[in-house]
Amino acid sequence: MKLSELMKDVTPKSDYEGFVGNDDFVLAIDTAASGATESAVGDFSVVQIGVNKAEGSVDSETKDNTYIRTGKMTTKTGAQRKFSVEGARYSGDAFQDFCLSHAIQFGRGAAVVRSYVYFNMLTGKGEKGKVTIIPSDTQTGDAGENATFKVEMTSTEAPVEYTYTAPTGS
């Protein structure tokens, strides 16, 4: 499903206040390598069909120093965005078909880097950036069960703030 299709009847409210569920977060990947222009974001493939576990985390890097008068101090020196997506294999889903393709499974370097957006659909607030796509499990499961998959994605640069806004004229 394309991001524009998912969000066609959703109007985020920047002042939303309340609990947020895991299903309220949207992760969408540029599976067509169309570029990260604002107009192309609506064509990104949403990570959702067959997904039963999705995690977004920030892996911070730190450095400890000890100073004469103030003692030990930890300084944050960097951070990397990480996503982990697991679920049941579904042939025909643009995200799964792309991430589990031969080109991505065995690709290297820039060939496995794609733009993404990640945001809370209740508020529209989130981020956009680039991730390296790393399939780790391409087919797991017991006989008679659905095959499962797992894809890890790590940022190649610090993401920038992003706010989803409904396209005009929709």
Side-chain angles (χ1 to χ4, degrees):
M1 171 180 282
K2 300 290 184 196
L3 181 59
S4 57
E5 294 169 24
L6 173 73
M7 297 298 291
K8 71 179 178 184
D9 296 324
V10 178
T11 304
K13 295 177 176 68
S14 61
D15 62 347
Y16 173 81
E17 189 175 306
F19 291 105
V20 179
N22 205 31
D23 293 346
D24 295 325
F25 288 91
V26 176
L27 174 60
I29 306 292
D30 183 6
T31 57
S34 60
T37 64
E38 286 301 313
S39 60
V41 169
D43 292 333
F44 284 16
S45 297
V46 176
V47 177
Q48 72 173 13
I49 295 178
V51 173
N52 56 28
K53 185 175 183 184
E55 297 177 4
S57 63
V58 176
D59 186 12
S60 296
E61 298 170 2
T62 61
K63 180 180 179 188
D64 292 331
N65 292 302
T66 303
Y67 298 100
I68 293 173
R69 288 184 177 62
T70 57
K72 189 174 183 178
M73 182 173 149
T74 301
T75 304
K76 184 177 173 184
T77 59
Q80 184 177 39
R81 166 59 81 186
K82 292 187 174 189
F83 297 104
S84 179
V85 177
E86 298 178 36
R89 288 284 300 262
Y90 187 92
S91 184
D93 174 59
F95 168 75
Q96 286 192 41
D97 290 349
F98 176 76
C99 289
L100 301 172
S101 70
H102 188 272
I104 297 300
Q105 288 183 51
F106 298 101
R108 293 185 278 181
V112 297
V113 174
R114 286 296 187 271
S115 296
Y116 76 92
V117 293
Y118 177 63
F119 63 95
N120 177 328
M121 68 190 316
L122 300 173
T123 64
K125 297 176 184 176
E127 68 192 44
K128 67 179 180 176
K130 293 188 179 289
V131 289
T132 298
I133 299 172
I134 307 160
S136 56
D137 289 330
T138 58
Q139 178 269 312
T140 306
D142 295 329
E145 305 259 333
N146 285 342
T148 61
F149 75 98
K150 182 175 182 179
V151 174
E152 307 283 338
M153 293 172 267
T154 57
S155 63
T156 61
E157 58 193 30
V160 296
E161 285 188 69
Y162 172 79
T163 300
Y164 174 84
T165 53
T168 55
S170 298

